[in-house]
Amino acid sequence: MKRAITLILALGLVLGLGAAASAQDDTPAAPKGEKAFQAMDTNGDGKISKEEFLNAAKKRAEMRFIKLDANGDGVLTKDELAQAKGKRRAPKAAAPAPAQQ
């Protein structure tokens, strides 16, 4: 079970790397992959070491855990995971039609 959770978190990290760097500044926007790379390359050497990768994964996993832990008690229950799963799958509400006059 722990291995499955670890794999799920790692997959979530890999799929969510594009959102890892969302800081805004006056420089031209880099592609999402480039921003993610720069965010993970903390020493700026143009390479991502195992340590840098694992630090980024841990940070992302911690942020995800906090979101999933609905009551903030430091543990995840089946109900909290099911609730999060339900939120992801819930269809987005359609925008209301403009009022006709």
Side-chain angles (χ1 to χ4, degrees):
M1 183 67 174
K2 286 183 182 181
R3 187 174 189 162
I5 292 172
T6 302
L7 288 173
I8 291 169
L9 290 174
L11 180 60
L13 170 70
V14 171
L15 295 176
L17 285 178
S22 62
Q24 295 180 359
D25 59 335
D26 293 333
T27 60
K32 288 183 180 182
E34 180 66 22
K35 282 185 176 184
F37 187 91
Q38 289 174 0
M40 290 174 54
D41 181 20
T42 57
N43 66 2
D45 68 353
K47 303 176 214 169
I48 298 172
S49 68
K50 181 178 179 179
E51 181 181 353
E52 289 170 321
F53 183 86
L54 293 176
N55 285 339
K58 182 178 180 185
K59 180 187 265 187
R60 178 131 173 98
E62 286 174 351
M63 291 187 311
R64 181 74 178 136
F65 186 92
I66 290 168
K67 282 185 175 182
L68 291 172
D69 185 16
N71 62 2
D73 66 354
V75 295
L76 297 177
T77 63
K78 288 179 184 178
D79 290 339
E80 287 171 323
L81 292 175
Q83 182 181 13
K85 184 177 180 181
K87 285 181 183 178
R88 282 196 332 252
R89 292 187 181 204
K92 295 183 180 180
Q100 294 182 359
Q101 296 178 344

